Amino acid sequence: NAGVTQTPKFQVLKTGQSMTLQCAQDMNHNSMYWYRQDPGMGLRLIYYSASEGTTDKGEVPNGYNVSRLNKREFSLRLESAAPSQTSVYFCASSRQGALNTEAFFGQGTRLTVV
Amino acid sequence: AQTVTQSQPEMSVQEAETVTLSCTYDTSENNYYLFWYKQPPSRQMILVIRQEAYKQQNATENRFSVNFQKAAKSFSLKISDSQLGDTAMYFCAFMKQGDDKIIFGKGTRLHILP
């Protein structure tokens, strides 16, 4: 049982380049999330998806786009990377409505924009 | 909007001591979940303990327990007999029941000293 798998684990981009972070979960969860983690800021929600075909903005959506391709996959795209987007990115999933609900996280992607 | 506040950016305690991490939250909701997540240097996010707001009894998981004060909107984590492996960043998180957003605090970095 792989849980939440996100790729890549590390990436260096030049300012202005684009890239997509991939995330897949095999737990049949309906909700998926993208967070960024910065020192002293905790985890901030970028976008989330309550179900296949729906996405909503979180706290810090500017500069990002997302796609909920199907129930398993939720990708995060940076169209034109900026140094301010240097961060560690986490994908997570959860099953809403479950008594034992919790968020399961991927291993994170450390992104550096130079 | 819900907010989660962790007022202790960093703490250090000696091995085998007991330590309490503070968390307060702001919500007008009555039904919600609260979580403590641990993030060791490996960057992995690990659920430590979960509390459902409708339960008056404080959750416990081995050496980890919470003091949930619903009226005061307080959710502190107590680690008993602390171990070197407890060294990590700890995040308090909030999820409204029926919602899909999980809101995190900024974290407390805990050092267990030998």
Side-chain angles (χ1 to χ4, degrees):
Chain A
N1 190 351
V4 179
T5 304
Q6 59 178 108
T7 57
K9 287 187 171 52
F10 301 92
Q11 183 71 49
V12 178
L13 289 179
K14 293 183 179 179
T15 297
Q17 285 186 320
S18 63
M19 80 162 294
T20 299
L21 280 65
Q22 306 287 352
C23 177
Q25 52 92 9
D26 61 3
M27 295 173 283
N28 202 36
H29 288 167
N30 47 346
S31 301
M32 296 187 73
Y33 313 84
W34 277 106
Y35 290 89
R36 59 177 289 173
Q37 182 179 12
D38 302 289
M41 300 299 292
L43 277 78
R44 291 182 291 172
L45 184 62
I46 304 172
Y47 271 94
Y48 65 103
S49 170
S51 61
E52 182 180 350
T54 67
T55 61
D56 286 285
K57 295 180 180 179
E59 304 168 68
V60 289
N62 292 344
Y64 305 94
N65 285 301
V66 290
S67 295
R68 183 73 182 268
L69 305 170
N70 48 55
K71 191 170 187 178
R72 289 185 65 249
E73 299 172 291
F74 188 39
S75 62
L76 178 72
R77 182 160 179 85
L78 287 70
E79 291 289 352
S80 179
S84 61
Q85 293 177 306
T86 292
S87 187
V88 178
Y89 292 85
F90 285 95
C91 177
S93 71
S94 73
R95 185 173 68 238
Q96 269 298 330
L99 290 177
N100 59 346
T101 191
E102 66 177 273
F104 292 83
F105 286 81
Q107 294 279 60
T109 297
R110 182 175 293 279
L111 174 66
T112 303
V113 183
V114 298
Chain B
Q2 288 83 13
T3 58
V4 177
T5 302
Q6 295 179 248
S7 59
Q8 305 149 311
E10 197 159 1
M11 300 179 71
S12 296
V13 296
Q14 295 294 136
E15 190 177 8
E17 288 185 347
T18 294
V19 59
T20 299
L21 281 61
S22 301
C23 173
T24 58
Y25 57 95
D26 186 21
T27 185
S28 58
E29 302 295 328
N30 194 44
N31 298 315
Y32 50 86
Y33 303 95
L34 294 162
F35 309 90
W36 278 99
Y37 278 87
K38 170 185 177 180
Q39 186 183 43
S42 66
R43 207 168 69 194
Q44 186 180 2
M45 292 287 287
I46 303 164
L47 179 69
V48 174
I49 201 162
R50 169 182 47 235
Q51 176 81 42
E52 292 84 359
Y54 67 87
K55 289 185 177 179
Q56 292 186 332
Q57 187 173 8
N58 290 324
T60 63
E61 287 287 342
N62 301 313
R63 296 183 296 108
F64 298 88
S65 62
V66 298
N67 184 3
F68 173 49
Q69 301 289 328
K70 191 172 184 179
K73 297 179 184 175
S74 172
F75 183 61
S76 61
L77 175 70
K78 186 171 83 170
I79 306 174
S80 303
D81 186 26
S82 58
Q83 301 174 358
L84 296 178
D86 295 333
T87 291
M89 180 75 85
Y90 287 81
F91 292 100
C92 180
F94 172 98
M95 176 196 284
K96 184 178 77 170
Q97 189 174 0
D99 197 359
D100 298 284
K101 290 190 293 185
I102 305 173
I103 305 300
F104 285 81
K106 293 185 177 181
T108 296
R109 187 173 297 279
L110 177 64
H111 303 274
I112 308 300
L113 307 173

